């Protein structure tokens, strides 16, 4: 890429990890849009899902389209003419932040499986370092999408007073067994690929098959059966688009999954994927509430919050967003709970821009 | 097993397959319970899901528990003191019927991928041969569960007048893209396993990993998130039940999936699994109705039908059972549509015995 808008923030060294161990000379990547006000009170931090980078939207240094392009910019829902927007690449992700693919300064070799156990609390703490490094004491709003919504809960419970308002998008206060089962199976597909080689893959011997299965399973659970009935039905591929394999793709939906897999497989480090996936399973707000999710959520202090979810989301079901809304409300926040019927499932926040734009833009407009 | 209740029925040779090719010297396995009446008018045929054998219940020759043990027997919902019950192992399944693992008489070697393309119409036609061989002109009732429900629709549309009453259990008139995506990914996991070896695996070089992933994905979609929230929540395995692998099983739900996989992997022939799985994707009642499922269903003539489905089934969603009920009703059958709220998802017919027993027993009792 000719341009790169990434900034890097060094983490304190050593940077202690929640589950033990520490990182030395670690950093996280981030990007920003808009201008920080003199009072430093207009900062909006976005924490991402498992796979996106910090490039949430185009900017002067990097005009390529970001993963939430339609939401972020002057006059858009997250209005960069008013807000100073920061998006942080999760610690442990390979999009510029220190991760399992990074060089371990102690050995001069990539960490691979010697990377310490990663939790979403570590992701949150690293993001908090970025915010402090920018001289921001309190975020005007913290937005977390999917896995980033869990990181955001961790951020708020670990850093009281650091957030005035919160937008929780298609996320959960803990992983439920269905989501654990799906993610465990994704990890298993990677680990069973002989090319994974206990984490010691190379470019010329890469766990392509395992990553492909993991991604396809991801896409299946990120979307919804309802959407696919309308979009793919039982449409067959043209004969020239089929392969010769007797069990190869025949239906349009199979080709759609294959396209998603091919775009993903070599753009995400497999070990980093394993670490972030497991961190998502581990996250549990009940740890902050003597075993009770509601009590854990009640430790979070924000003035206002909006919690958005989708009825077709099978990975982070709507009941879990309702739980977050109830918990934050019980803790004293003014909470808007927005239950959408978007057909796109968990990915709706990336696709159903009209509804998400209206909700998020409306909420931010009233701050 | 010391006892075996299996009977075998030879298919006409050659046995022509719907999509081309033919089988020579093929057979299907079946079991029976109860006595055929002199008028031969009390026969109930059960067509199974993808993996069960013909051993639906214990009997004198084989006292081991069958896959629908709680439903079949004297005084049970499918009352063998009144009905002569037959369960057929699907053509293409490796539980006694001719399948991809069978010896190809033309070569003296297993068919493997030389087995002709299998469709559920072939499964239905083979079952019909069994019924004819028993001297039964018309079934009192045809029961089809899951994949067997699709085979049953094929049976009725291909053999008009052969069925008086029908019970359709947790099935669909065609595969929708979500189900196709899941099954395609299961097949891909097997095919990507290097030990699959394009179908030429051996006992000592067997696609264990691929079959394990396929089975786990199956179990995930056969059950429901709701059931698992109550059953597993976030319960951890005792430390001594964990393995040393840093990404190995940690949660009870992962161990549950592993147990299911281990029980399945070596008890189902991988190639046969591929054939039956693909046949499920291909099945489409719209082929019998000029592209319309409803018109296809309207070609089926039965006097009475009961269609049962479950709101928590993500693989065969309730709307599809409703469609079957509407189609059969439009064709003139008296139809009971039973929508259950069982938490167990697609597998509810194997687990929620009280509800299924009441529905099926009630329906059969009124015939």
């Amino acid at each position: 890429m000719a341009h790169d808008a990434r900034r890097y923030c060094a983490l304190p060294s050593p940077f202690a990890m929640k589950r033990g161990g520490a990182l030395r000379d670690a950093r996280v990547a981030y990007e920003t849009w808009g201008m920080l006000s003199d009072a430093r009170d207009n900062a909006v931090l976005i924490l991402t899902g498992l796979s996106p980078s910090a490039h949430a939207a185009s900017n002067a240094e990097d005009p390529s389209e970001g993963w939430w392009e339609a939401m972020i910019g002057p006059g858009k829902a997250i209005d960069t003419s008013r807000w100073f927007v920061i998006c942080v690449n999760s610690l442990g992700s390979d999009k510029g932040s220190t991760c399992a693919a990074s060089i371990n300064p102690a050995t001069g070799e990539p960490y691979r499986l010697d990377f310490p156990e990663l939790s979403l609390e570590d992701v949150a703490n690293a993001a908090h370092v970025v915010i402090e490094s920018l001289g921001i004491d309190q975020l005007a709003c913290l937005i977390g999408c999917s896995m980033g919504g869990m990181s955001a809960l961790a951020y708020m419970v670990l850093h009281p007073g650091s957030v005035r308002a919160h937008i929780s998008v298609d996320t959960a206060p803990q992983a439920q067994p269905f989501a654990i089962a799906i993610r465990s199976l994704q990890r298993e597909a990677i680990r069973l690929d002989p090319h994974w080689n206990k984490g010691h893959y190379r470019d010329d011997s890469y766990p392509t098959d395992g990553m492909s299965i993991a991604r396809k399973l991801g896409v299946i659970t990120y979307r919804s059966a309802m959407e696919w009935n309308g979009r793919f039905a039982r449409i067959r591929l043209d004969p020239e688009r089929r392969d010769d394999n007797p069990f190869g793709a025949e239906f349009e939906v199979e080709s759609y999954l294959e396209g998603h897999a091919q775009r993903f497989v070599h753009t995400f480090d497999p070990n980093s994927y394993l670490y972030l996936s497991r961190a998502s399973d581990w996250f549990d707000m009940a740890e902050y509430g003597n075993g009770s999710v509601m009590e854990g959520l009640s430790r979070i202090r924000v003035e206002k919050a909006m919690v958005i979810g989708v009825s077709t989301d099978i990975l982070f079901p709507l009941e879990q967003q309702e739980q977050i809304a109830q918990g934050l409300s019980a803790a004293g926040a003014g909470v808007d709970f927005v239950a959408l019927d978007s057909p796109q499932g968990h990915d709706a926040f990336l696709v159903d821009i009209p509804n998400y734009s209206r909700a998020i833009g409306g909420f931010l407009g009233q701050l």
Side-chain angles (χ1 to χ4, degrees), chain A:
Chain A
M1 183 177 323
H3 303 275
D4 194 339
R6 274 183 202 163
R7 307 271 179 279
Y8 296 95
C9 173
L11 300 181
S13 188
F15 181 79
M17 305 287 273
K18 179 194 177 200
R19 295 175 64 100
L23 293 173
R24 295 195 177 268
D25 306 334
R27 67 178 194 182
V28 287
Y30 66 98
E31 295 192 26
T32 68
W33 300 260
M35 297 281 288
L36 185 58
S37 63
D38 292 340
R40 299 174 183 267
D41 62 356
N42 69 332
V44 173
L45 170 63
I46 299 171
L47 297 178
T48 79
L50 193 152
S51 60
S53 73
H55 191 59
S58 57
N59 39 30
E61 299 95 320
D62 181 356
S64 69
E65 197 169 277
W67 60 266
W68 227 8
E69 187 72 27
M71 295 291 288
I72 303 165
K76 295 184 182 175
I78 304 172
D79 187 349
T80 53
S81 60
R82 177 176 175 201
W83 304 108
F84 176 61
V85 179
I86 309 122
C87 183
V88 172
N89 181 237
S90 303
L91 181 67
S93 163
D94 68 344
K95 305 285 178 280
S97 298
T98 299
C99 65
S102 303
I103 299 297
N104 178 354
T107 64
E109 297 287 324
Y111 284 103
R112 302 186 185 271
L113 302 197
D114 290 332
F115 197 76
E117 290 185 348
L118 179 75
S119 71
L120 296 185
E121 283 83 348
D122 304 318
V123 171
N125 286 334
H128 187 252
V129 170
V130 175
I131 298 308
E132 285 190 316
S133 77
L134 295 168
I136 297 162
D137 288 333
Q138 191 180 49
L139 294 168
C141 187
L142 172 59
I143 302 176
C145 307
S146 186
M147 185 193 86
M150 298 195 285
S151 308
L153 293 174
Y155 189 107
M156 294 183 291
V157 79
L158 294 173
H159 303 282
S162 66
V163 176
R164 279 205 303 283
H166 174 49
I167 301 178
S168 174
V169 180
D170 296 10
T171 193
Q174 64 176 191
Q176 286 184 338
F178 179 84
I180 292 173
I182 292 286
R183 285 193 286 253
S184 171
L185 193 52
Q186 291 173 307
R187 294 193 295 273
E188 188 168 3
I190 296 169
R191 291 161 46 220
L192 287 176
D193 187 322
H195 294 295
W196 179 61
N197 192 23
K198 296 191 177 166
H200 285 266
Y201 44 83
R202 303 185 312 262
D203 283 349
D204 61 348
S205 174
Y206 187 89
T208 305
D209 294 345
M211 285 291 282
S212 176
I213 291 174
R215 182 57 171 178
K216 289 184 180 185
L217 185 50
V219 174
I220 289 172
T221 54
Y222 295 158
R223 311 298 292 208
S224 89
M226 188 207 293
E227 181 202 26
W228 286 3
N229 288 342
R231 184 167 172 183
F232 300 118
R234 291 178 54 80
I235 298 170
R236 301 299 218 277
L237 293 171
D238 295 332
E240 67 267 23
R241 288 178 62 203
R242 299 188 192 176
D243 59 33
D244 290 338
N245 189 305
F247 294 97
E250 172 177 347
F251 291 92
E252 192 71 37
V253 68
E254 295 176 280
S255 171
Y256 164 83
L257 291 175
E258 183 63 31
H260 267 283
Q262 287 184 6
R263 285 191 296 279
F264 182 78
V265 159
H266 287 280
T267 58
F268 207 95
D269 172 57
N271 288 337
S272 300
Y273 183 92
L274 295 175
Y275 273 88
L276 286 163
S277 166
R278 187 181 55 178
S280 298
D281 284 354
W282 277 338
F283 184 70
D284 187 359
M285 278 303 293
E287 287 180 18
Y288 300 97
N290 300 312
S292 155
V293 167
M294 291 304 281
E295 196 175 323
L297 289 167
S298 77
R299 304 249 186 274
I300 292 175
R301 292 280 175 277
V302 290
E303 293 169 18
K304 297 181 68 174
M306 183 167 64
V307 184
I308 314 178
V310 179
S311 59
T312 55
D313 189 341
I314 58 174
L315 205 55
F316 294 80
L318 194 55
E319 305 87 75
Q320 294 199 284
Q321 288 95 55
E322 199 167 5
Q323 207 177 11
I324 295 173
Q326 287 172 352
L328 296 180
S329 181
V335 178
D336 295 340
F337 175 53
V338 180
L340 297 173
D341 284 327
S342 319
Q344 298 92 352
H346 181 65
D347 266 359
F349 73 100
L350 299 170
V351 189
D352 183 7
I353 298 301
N355 276 312
Y356 281 78
S357 204
R358 188 176 311 118
I360 292 173
F363 181 82
L364 288 174
Q366 289 178 8
L367 294 184

